[in-house]
Each structure stands twice: as C-alpha cells, then as structure tokens.
Amino acid sequence: RKEVEQDPGPFNVPEGATVAFNCTYSNSASQSFFWYRQDCRKEPKLLMSVYSSGNEDGRFTAQLNRASQYISLLIRDSKLSDSATYLCVVEGGSYIPTFGRGTSLIVHP
Amino acid sequence: EAGVTQFPSHSVIEKGQTVTLRCDPISGHDNLYWYRRVMGKEIKFLLHFVKESKQDESGMPNNRFLAERTGGTYSTLKVQPAELEDSGVYFCASSQVEGWAGELFFGEGSRLTVL
C-alpha cells in the first residue's frame, strides 16, 4: 500500500461547481497534513495546512479524519484559475513530508 | 527575499555521463530536501539535510547519486553515471522549522533528460 494515495482524476468541472478531493494515508502516527498546489511545469506551493478540527480558507475547506486516515479538500465556486494539480502531503516516517501522486483539476467555462 | 533557486533548469545528457544539480535554499533555512518526480509518478523523497548533515538519505535510489551540502548553505546532487531511468524533475525544497511542521518552499526544479 502506498503511503499517500489520492483520487486519480482528472476532475473536469464547470466554473462555479463544487469539487472534493480525498486522500488516504497509511502512517497512523502522522501529525502533519497539508494540501499543496502545483501548476503545470511549476513547483508545488502550499495551499493550506489541515488541522484536526477542520479549517477553511475562503473557498477552500480541509478536513481530517484520523480514525479513517484520510484528509479531504473541498473547493467551492470553482474558478478557471483553480485548474492545477492538488497534492496531498502527509508526514511520513522520520518526519519526512510524503507526497501523493496528485489530483488534476480542470475548470472549464 | 530570494526563494529557492535551482540550476540548471534543464539538462540533457547521454547515458553514462555525469550531471550535477545545484540548489540554493532560502537564506537561514536549515532544512533542505531533495525530491524527484518521474513522469506519471508521485514526487518521491530522496534525502534531507539539516544544515550540513544528512539527516535521512533513505530515498536515494543507489550509489550513483551523491548529495552534498558543504557549509550548510547550498547543496549539490550529482548523478554519475547517469542512466535512462534517472530522467525526471529534481526538486529542492527548504524549510525553517525543525522536524517539519511548517511550509516547504520549493525551487522550480531541474529537469533531467538522459538519452
């Protein structure tokens, strides 16, 4: 089993849609969770941290379910500029940031 | 403030040749990570420096890869001799927070093509 697994995508949605991504992780001892965004041929950049109680940043909401070992990212009112690959990052063994494969989002007019 | 810089941005070499990739982290960031993304796969961890010390090099594929961070500033990743399967994008990232609970700042990556 991979350490971090994500929905394969791509997700192809119209502007204004709500879309959700899930990510599962295998290390039950993980304490740190993040969503990163990567634009085509660019470097990953932090989108948001994921806190135990769930957290929101504008149109983006992140949730953590420790019992089931998954995290989610919800994007409301999708914009064309949201098109990117969304990477789930989880603290792995030895505190190493471990990446999922990423989920591609395409928002069309 | 300058971000993480990597050089070269793209390198095309033949199998058996040597390539050295360089990363300059954000000034003051003690933690430096090397990752690699092979097409269609996830970004995979290679190794982690804390200052000049290798904290974890469990992700290094084999002994053809050598990473250094002399003086705890910039880092180099040498591949010698390069093989076809070494092609991919090599990312460097740095962070300030010990034990990683904070943000990783990535460079734009060095794309390596081995022919």
Side-chain angles (χ1 to χ4, degrees):
Chain A
R1 182 184 173 186
K2 284 186 180 293
E3 288 190 68
V4 181
E5 295 202 66
Q6 294 187 241
D7 289 349
F11 285 65
N12 201 321
V13 303
E15 273 186 291
T18 295
V19 62
F21 306 137
N22 290 324
C23 165
T24 58
Y25 60 94
S26 61
N27 183 3
S28 60
S30 295
Q31 296 294 321
S32 300
F33 309 89
F34 299 87
W35 284 101
Y36 276 69
R37 169 192 168 130
Q38 185 175 24
D39 293 296
C40 188
R41 292 185 170 262
K42 292 288 193 177
E43 73 275 22
K45 291 185 178 177
L46 179 67
L47 177 66
M48 60 194 300
S49 305
V50 185
Y51 301 123
S52 296
S53 54
N55 49 296
E56 193 173 298
D57 182 2
R59 298 181 293 107
F60 299 82
T61 301
Q63 297 276 355
L64 168 64
N65 184 319
R66 286 188 186 275
S68 301
Q69 293 180 211
Y70 82 79
I71 67 175
S72 63
L73 177 68
L74 182 78
I75 305 175
R76 291 182 299 276
D77 188 23
S78 299
K79 311 290 184 192
L80 295 177
S81 56
D82 293 334
S83 298
T85 296
Y86 291 83
L87 301 163
C88 174
V89 185
V90 176
E91 175 194 345
S94 303
Y95 309 106
I96 296 298
T98 303
F99 285 74
R101 194 167 167 177
T103 301
S104 176
L105 172 65
I106 302 168
V107 182
H108 59 81
Chain B
E1 181 184 314
V4 177
T5 57
Q6 293 187 243
F7 182 83
S9 57
H10 193 184
S11 180
V12 181
I13 61 173
E14 293 191 350
K15 176 182 169 181
Q17 289 187 318
T18 297
V19 63
T20 300
L21 311 177
R22 173 172 169 144
C23 169
D24 287 76
I26 292 173
S27 177
H29 281 196
D30 289 340
N31 293 281
L32 187 150
Y33 302 82
W34 281 99
Y35 285 87
R36 176 174 72 176
R37 185 164 205 166
V38 173
M39 189 178 294
K41 303 264 179 104
E42 69 272 20
I43 295 173
K44 287 209 69 131
F45 167 77
L46 296 178
L47 86 159
H48 171 213
F49 284 100
V50 177
K51 297 185 181 177
E52 67 276 7
S53 299
K54 288 178 187 173
Q55 195 75 9
D56 188 328
E57 52 183 331
S58 60
M60 295 286 262
N62 50 60
N63 58 10
R64 295 185 294 103
F65 289 75
L66 175 64
E68 295 180 323
R69 193 182 181 194
T70 308
T73 54
Y74 72 90
S75 174
T76 58
L77 179 65
K78 181 193 283 190
V79 185
Q80 178 183 31
E83 298 288 345
L84 298 178
E85 65 264 25
D86 300 334
S87 295
V89 181
Y90 290 77
F91 287 105
C92 173
S94 71
S95 76
Q96 193 171 30
V97 179
E98 185 179 352
W100 184 62
E103 182 175 356
L104 286 178
F105 295 86
F106 281 83
E108 292 191 349
S110 290
R111 183 175 297 273
L112 174 64
T113 303
V114 183
L115 302 176

